[in-house]
Amino acid sequence: MTVTTGKVNLLGLTQPQLESFFDSIGEKRFRAGQVMKWIHHFGVDDFDAMSNIGKALREKLKASAEIRGPEIVSEDISTDGTRKWVVRVASGSCVETVYIPQGGRGTLCVSSQAGCALDCSFCSTGKQGFNSNLTAAEVIGQVWIANKSFGTIPAKVDRAITNVVMMGMGEPLLNFDNVVAAMQIMMDDLGYGISKRKVTLSTSGVVPMIEELSKVIDVSLALSLHAPNDELRDQLVPINKKYPLEMLLAACQRYISNLGEKRVLTIEYTLLQGVNDQPEHAEQMVVLLAKIPCKINLIPFNPFPHSGYERPSNNAIRHFQDILHKAGHNVTVRTTRGEDIDAACGQLVGQVLDRTRRSERYIAVRQLQSEPVTTPVATNRS
Ligand code: SAH
Ligand code: SF4
């Protein structure tokens, strides 16, 4: 368990929040910028290392504040360059963060919750149930940890982390305030300076929160569609029963058009053999998405034990892609990366404390995962 110190954790504060903090301790607001650079550009967690801050203020800060990232439980590097961190959060659960290098791009896949309450039928995170929301410091702390592993920002001409996707464990829109604060720090030049186009929030469809998101931030949006009609989506993505497709797509369309520029919605579609991978599903998708500016990312199912689903054949995947492509869509098939370190989509399990049993028992998904998985289809991961 993480020790609670009662000090303010500066890691998770946005620039305006940090300015208010300095106000509240009777100090100048410009200190916020200095401290943010130390934290996020230089990866510093020790006030004594902040050489442009006098000793008296450093002592004052030490008494009331701290810079505390989540505890690193493990760091693995795959043969393909993918990196995976398992970090422990305050609730005692562990979540996972994955870094995927590809060409000139480095994408960090960040978790927002320990477990997930939404229970999509093909997702191993969902199978664990919900344990806790991550704090803003725990969300941005994953970027902080990954970034530190590549050295400080000013030292590198090319930043290692060029893109962030909120596609790790959890439903980011159900941990709204903390995820928004963390994304603001990702985009802030005093934080990680990542452009709004390159920070993407992925949601399974929490409609009211898509509307809220639009009011506070302009990051890119990805929708986990997975089915082209309500009957099938009700089974695969249960939140569809509450917010069905028509309502959901209208909300996404509004979000995208509010962004103003030439921005498009990303559609994620996990292909499950014999379930949602038939030509008729692709044809229905063409009709459904006809008026929505989007790019489609097909994700061949990543198997995990006892899921009850299988990955479609390469031929079936190509056929599905072709139908969408011929209808004029920009369609990519996501490569499975980092499979040797269990870092693929839907394989992120961490160690979520099982709250329903009110015990310190960890769900043994990790043990189940030591069973072999089938060879992946390899194309390009976006
Ligand atoms: N909760 C959010 C973000 C996390 S999941 C959401 O659902 O969008 C990130 C993506 O991985 C989602 O599109 C999700 O549906 C997909 N995914 C989950 N389990 C998977 C699996 N076993 N194989 C392939 N993709 C999976
Ligand atoms: Fe939750 Fe996303 Fe998994 Fe669905 S796919 S259970 S929303 S993490």
Side-chain angles (χ1 to χ4, degrees), residues 122-123 167-168 170-171 202-203 224 226 268 270 299 301-302 345-346:
F122 52 86
C123 173
M167 293 183 188
E171 168 49 55
S202 171
T203 181
S224 290
H226 310 311
E268 297 165 275
T270 297
I299 316 171
F301 174 63
N302 287 312
C345 288

Side-chain angles (χ1 to χ4, degrees), residues 13-309:
L13 301 189
T14 60
Q15 190 186 353
Q17 289 170 336
L18 201 50
E19 284 172 350
S20 304
F21 166 77
F22 277 103
D23 253 355
S24 75
I25 61 167
E27 297 290 337
K28 296 272 192 298
R29 293 167 78 88
F30 77 89
R31 295 290 185 191
Q34 291 179 321
V35 168
M36 274 191 87
K37 281 189 190 167
W38 282 114
I39 298 174
H40 301 291
H41 292 191
F42 296 99
V44 161
D45 60 2
D46 175 4
F47 292 112
D48 281 332
M50 300 183 179
S51 54
N52 55 355
I53 291 177
K55 189 160 191 320
L57 178 52
R58 294 204 306 260
E59 292 306 320
K60 196 170 174 183
L61 286 172
K62 275 192 244 174
S64 60
E66 62 179 356
I67 300 157
R68 183 192 288 271
E71 177 198 341
I72 302 175
V73 175
S74 65
E75 177 174 356
D76 290 309
I77 302 187
S78 159
T79 49
D80 66 13
T82 302
R83 296 179 181 209
K84 186 179 81 173
W85 294 264
V86 175
V87 299
R88 182 168 291 118
V89 295
S91 64
S93 290
C94 292
V95 300
E96 304 189 352
T97 314
V98 179
Y99 173 79
I100 308 129
Q102 193 180 46
R105 215 164 40 172
T107 302
L108 193 71
C109 181
V110 169
S111 292
S112 57
Q113 298 182 309
C116 182
L118 296 185
D119 201 22
C120 300
S121 64
F122 52 86
C123 173
S124 59
T125 302
K127 292 282 156 254
Q128 298 170 80
F130 172 73
N131 178 259
S132 61
N133 274 334
L134 270 54
T135 62
E138 288 165 347
V139 178
I140 197 66
Q142 296 168 66
V143 185
W144 185 69
I145 286 169
N147 193 57
K148 279 207 286 185
S149 80
F150 295 106
T152 56
I153 287 180
K156 295 261 175 191
V157 179
D158 297 319
R159 291 181 184 183
I161 302 170
T162 58
N163 298 58
V164 176
V165 291
M166 297 302 309
M167 293 183 188
M169 297 168 68
E171 168 49 55
L173 289 184
L174 292 181
N175 184 13
F176 191 84
D177 292 345
N178 293 329
V179 166
V180 167
M183 293 192 303
Q184 274 157 347
I185 301 171
M186 290 171 204
M187 295 193 293
D188 193 332
D189 283 338
L190 295 168
Y192 299 86
I194 303 172
S195 99
K196 59 191 179 184
R197 294 168 183 275
K198 294 182 176 178
V199 173
T200 303
L201 181 143
S202 171
T203 181
S204 58
V206 190
V207 168
M209 302 320 284
I210 296 174
E211 313 274 354
E212 291 304 308
L213 192 68
S214 195
K215 295 177 192 161
V216 293
I217 209 162
D218 53 2
V219 295
S220 296
L221 184 67
L223 170 64
S224 290
L225 185 66
H226 310 311
N229 60 65
D230 281 322
E231 197 190 347
L232 183 55
R233 197 164 192 270
D234 282 354
Q235 291 167 35
L236 303 180
V237 185
I239 197 175
N240 193 68
K241 292 180 202 147
K242 200 163 176 189
Y243 307 116
L245 279 171
E246 198 182 329
M247 195 192 266
L248 175 58
L249 290 171
C252 290
Q253 204 160 7
R254 275 196 297 276
Y255 183 90
I256 293 300
S257 59
N258 277 345
L259 296 179
E261 311 138 60
K262 287 184 183 158
R263 305 272 294 271
V264 298
L265 178 68
T266 299
I267 298 285
E268 297 165 275
Y269 194 100
T270 297
L271 286 164
L272 307 162
Q273 186 178 60
V275 177
N276 65 355
D277 67 338
Q278 301 300 300
E280 78 232 34
H281 296 123
E283 281 148 18
Q284 285 175 28
M285 229 169 130
V286 169
V287 177
L288 192 70
L289 300 176
K291 293 200 183 98
I292 300 181
C294 64
K295 58 179 183 200
I296 301 170
N297 198 203
L298 301 175
I299 316 171
F301 174 63
N302 287 312
F304 57 92
H306 314 299
S307 69
Y309 292 112

